[in-house]
Amino acid sequence: MIFGGKAAPGYFLAKLIIRLIHAVADTVNGDPAVNARLRVAFVPDFNVTIGQRIYPAADLSEQISTAGKEASAPAT
């Protein structure tokens, strides 16, 4: 499972969720009985450019975005 995201310093709940994902990753990746079948990774500072590299390798991708509130880099 690959998770990606970023959170501004003031977003307490988002930062808490990121910490939860890291805790789950530590548990799953550290268990030899499980990590042969499942691995958990978190991509920090996730953005469109990174997504363009990850999505083609995925069988399924789901994006949860609040349109209009999402911060994106300006087009160059």
Side-chain angles (χ1 to χ4, degrees), residues 1 5 7 10 14 16 22 30 35 37 40-41 46 49 53 57 61 66-68 71:
M1 298 299 295
L16 191 62
H22 280 287
N35 73 12
R37 299 177 186 266
V40 177
F46 191 80
T49 303
R53 292 181 177 198
S61 69
T66 52

Side-chain angles (χ1 to χ4, degrees), residues 25-53:
D26 289 343
T27 302
V28 169
N29 297 341
D31 185 345
V34 177
N35 73 12
R37 299 177 186 266
L38 177 68
R39 301 282 295 176
V40 177
F42 181 78
V43 180
D45 297 323
F46 191 80
N47 59 31
V48 174
T49 303
I50 294 171
Q52 289 174 334
R53 292 181 177 198

